[in-house]
Amino acid sequence: MAAFRFGRLRSLLLAMGAIFLISTFYLYWTPAPASMIPSTAFEVPLTERQIAFWKVLKPILEKNTPKCPPPTRRADAPAMHFNPNATDPRLDLILLKENDRKAMEEAHASYLQDIRDAKRLRPPHTTGTRGLVTTAGKSYLPLVVSSLRMLRRTGSTLPAEVYMKDASEYEKKICENVLPSLDARCLVLSEIVGKEPIAHYQLKAFAVLFSSFEEIIWMDADCFPLHKPEELFEVEPFKSNGLVTWPDFWASTASPAYFELSHQPIPPMSVRQSSETGIFMVSKKTNYITLLLAAYYNYYGPSHYFRLLSQGAPGEGDKETFLQAAAAVGEPFYAVSERVQALGHWKPDNQGLSGSAMAQADPREDYALTSQDKWRVRDPSVGKPPRVFFIHAHYPKFNPAENLFGSKWETAPTLKADGSEGRAWTAPEDVVSRFGYDAEKNYWEEIKWLSCDPKTEFRTWETKAQVCQQVESYWQHVFAEPHPDDPKFTDEA
């Protein structure tokens, strides 16, 4: 009997001990930090995150509309080449009454306060992701496919998102059969914003904000890299700044009125060139408020901000909205200082360059000089020029079904002055040599594939067989065999 009682007592004590241990565990246990849980455990489909984000952002944009007529200007700003030694005052061509300037100032300040206070304004991206973002539709879609194939030739594995304005620009054969093989997908902006009139230049800022990537390389449809672009994420100047922009040919023509209403000192004309945002890099981790303000500048761009930021200078549109937004909110940025270079071929009789593309420099090599206070833009002798990293083939667009081939060499980059077929980019020779390899030949290989592969059926191409025949004929004449006019390169990529 005593043994039985001792056994019952022992069992009771063990049970009480177990209850105590379990209770203690639940009292003091805390869940693992979110960073240790796979992101897919809480993943919401991207479209749902984008729509939720837009439902919060749109009312803030609409609440802070500039309550004044659009600014007007006395004249368009001329095409002024950048002068790093300029001492002239900033152009002031904007006509803006004091009450209207005050209204824009108040709306600008209110918008910034609202986006900073909005706790439900959660960006739709996935933390730690990187990728390339672009927009395309109609005649720009062939350009994007060529650009993505050039991206893959560099060895890049960055995924890509291609945004389209609405369903009318979505091409099922390309989006479902061609782009996935390039690790790219199509997204339709109207599925997020509805019938909101966001179009043309405005698309860029919203595509970047809606993207699933945290760190982004933006490239226009007619841009492509010569080297592996993801390497730029890991080093300066991106690593410390989070926003890297490249220059245009022109001087900045942002108006004094813009700097006043955004509470910034008016910078001297010699500080930096205007921006050329066919290519830029941005991190939402460091420059989220920048992107939200850039979205505001683009939302009210056609009515108010584009003319304030450019005053009618060449390329007026979204080009100044990103860098100026970063400066306005005090977030970091790095503006590449090495001048953009025009690419083309020489006109006869020393008439200059017939250009069709822009060459942008490696930001790492530019930063290596500027971080030592060596500025080639002021004194080219301080160091050798950086290699060319990106090409923006902007005029004409290299869509083989359109205006690449013609009877006038001034408008057809594939013709020489004597009317014979030739390379598009042979000059300036010192710039072409900085490609590191024959990038133009590679680009035409991709254009040839695009033109002749049976899977690439674009709606805007009515005569694909004829396009293929013309491109193959051009290839045979210009690239099939080595030619004495072929460019020489300074290094191998």
Side-chain angles (χ1 to χ4, degrees):
M1 180 67 71
F4 174 76
R5 287 176 181 172
F6 177 78
R8 289 186 59 189
L9 179 62
R10 183 168 177 253
S11 298
L12 182 61
L13 288 171
L14 287 171
M16 289 176 65
I19 293 170
F20 174 79
L21 287 170
I22 293 170
S23 300
T24 302
F25 174 79
Y26 278 101
L27 279 171
Y28 294 98
W29 174 81
T30 55
S35 61
M36 295 176 61
I37 301 174
S39 60
T40 52
F42 306 113
E43 190 75 12
V44 175
L46 176 61
T47 303
E48 291 183 28
R49 285 179 277 150
Q50 292 169 326
I51 292 171
F53 173 76
W54 179 240
K55 284 181 178 179
V56 180
L57 180 61
K58 183 182 178 183
I60 298 175
L61 287 165
E62 292 178 337
K63 174 193 167 189
N64 294 295
T65 180
K67 296 180 175 64
C68 63
T72 58
R73 54 181 178 257
R74 290 188 292 274
D76 286 346
M80 303 183 303
H81 281 274
F82 174 68
N83 177 6
N85 302 309
T87 57
D88 300 331
R90 184 169 288 274
L91 281 177
D92 189 3
L93 303 173
I94 292 294
L95 298 172
L96 188 64
K97 295 178 180 178
E98 179 58 25
N99 288 344
D100 294 340
R101 187 198 63 76
K102 190 69 175 174
M104 289 190 70
E105 179 182 354
E106 290 173 354
H108 189 279
S110 174
Y111 176 77
L112 281 177
Q113 190 63 50
D114 287 349
I115 58 175
R116 284 175 167 138
D117 291 345
K119 295 178 180 174
R120 292 175 53 239
L121 190 62
R122 300 186 182 94
H125 70 263
T126 302
T127 302
T129 53
R130 291 172 172 169
L132 182 144
V133 182
T134 189
T135 54
K138 300 180 180 177
S139 63
Y140 286 87
L141 194 54
L143 302 178
V144 159
V145 177
S146 297
S147 174
L148 289 173
R149 286 182 66 89
M150 287 298 287
L151 174 76
R152 297 303 170 220
R153 288 185 81 123
T154 70
S156 173
T157 58
L158 285 175
E161 292 178 349
V162 181
Y163 281 80
M164 297 165 174
K165 183 180 67 174
D166 54 39
S168 71
E169 295 187 340
Y170 185 90
E171 297 193 25
K172 185 174 181 179
K173 289 182 179 179
I174 302 301
C175 289
E176 298 181 14
N177 299 331
V178 177
L179 290 184
S181 67
L182 296 167
D183 196 12
R185 60 173 169 169
C186 298
L187 297 102
V188 179
L189 199 63
S190 63
E191 293 180 358
I192 305 167
V193 303
K195 296 181 179 180
E196 192 70 33
I198 296 173
H200 201 41
Y201 294 123
Q202 298 166 292
L203 291 171
K204 188 176 298 185
F206 288 94
V208 170
L209 268 176
F210 290 132
S211 169
S212 68
F213 307 128
E214 181 178 50
E215 294 183 342
I216 290 166
I217 289 181
W218 171 274
M219 287 197 317
D220 281 0
D222 53 359
C223 298
F224 61 88
L226 302 188
H227 310 286
K228 193 173 180 179
E230 51 259 58
E231 296 173 356
L232 303 180
F233 285 119
E234 301 292 346
V235 295
E236 301 296 355
F238 182 80
K239 195 171 181 180
S240 296
N241 293 281
L243 173 64
V244 177
T245 64
W246 277 262
D248 205 339
F249 297 107
W250 319 114
S252 167
T253 54
S255 73
Y258 163 73
F259 294 103
E260 291 169 5
L261 69 86
S262 60
H263 299 171
Q264 299 182 69
I266 299 175
M269 295 293 290
S270 59
V271 169
R272 69 181 70 89
Q273 304 99 310
S274 62
S275 298
E276 202 290 299
T277 49
I279 304 147
F280 65 91
M281 300 177 66
V282 67
S283 167
K284 295 176 185 175
K285 185 175 182 179
T286 58
N287 287 77
Y288 178 51
I289 302 299
T290 292
L291 291 174
L292 290 172
L293 183 56
Y296 180 76
Y297 289 162
N298 280 271
Y299 196 75
Y300 295 109
S303 61
H304 289 76
Y305 277 95
F306 289 165
R307 65 192 61 178
L308 273 180
L309 291 170
S310 292
Q311 301 190 91
E316 181 174 281
D318 63 75
K319 67 196 297 289
E320 301 297 333
T321 57
F322 297 93
L323 185 150
Q324 298 295 357
V329 300
E331 289 183 336
F333 65 89
Y334 181 83
V336 172
S337 68
E338 181 70 23
R339 291 182 187 272
V340 59
Q341 298 288 337
L343 294 172
H345 40 255
W346 296 119
K347 297 178 182 179
D349 302 322
N350 298 317
Q351 295 181 48
L353 186 74
S354 177
S356 65
M358 305 163 74
Q360 298 284 15
D362 189 325
R364 296 170 294 188
E365 297 181 18
D366 182 73
Y367 178 83
L369 291 172
T370 61
S371 61
Q372 302 176 62
D373 200 26
K374 296 179 180 179
W375 300 81
R376 277 183 34 83
V377 71
R378 299 192 180 104
D379 179 6
S381 69
V382 299
K384 70 175 185 178
R387 66 178 177 173
V388 176
F389 203 96
F390 293 100
I391 290 179
H392 188 171
H394 66 296
Y395 181 78
K397 310 297 183 188
F398 276 59
N399 182 337
E402 292 190 340
N403 49 6
L404 270 183
F405 307 98
S407 58
K408 294 184 178 180
W409 80 276
E410 294 92 342
T411 55
T414 55
L415 293 181
K416 297 179 182 179
D418 62 6
S420 63
E421 290 181 323
R423 286 175 174 260
W425 306 324
T426 59
E429 291 80 0
D430 64 321
V431 178
V432 175
S433 72
R434 286 159 46 202
F435 290 2
Y437 63 99
D438 198 343
E440 183 180 357
K441 184 176 181 180
N442 286 5
Y443 192 36
W444 275 100
E445 282 181 357
E446 300 306 343
I447 292 173
K448 183 158 66 79
W449 175 89
L450 184 82
S451 304
C452 300
D453 188 277
K455 296 191 295 296
T456 55
E457 296 182 31
F458 298 99
R459 289 180 194 161
T460 55
W461 288 15
E462 296 179 0
T463 55
K464 182 178 172 68
Q466 183 179 342
V467 172
C468 173
Q469 183 180 9
Q470 194 163 20
V471 171
E472 284 195 324
S473 173
Y474 172 74
W475 173 270
Q476 290 299 322
H477 280 103
V478 178
F479 295 108
E481 299 293 336
H483 190 276
D485 292 339
D486 289 349
K488 306 298 185 291
F489 304 101
T490 56
D491 63 289
E492 292 296 325

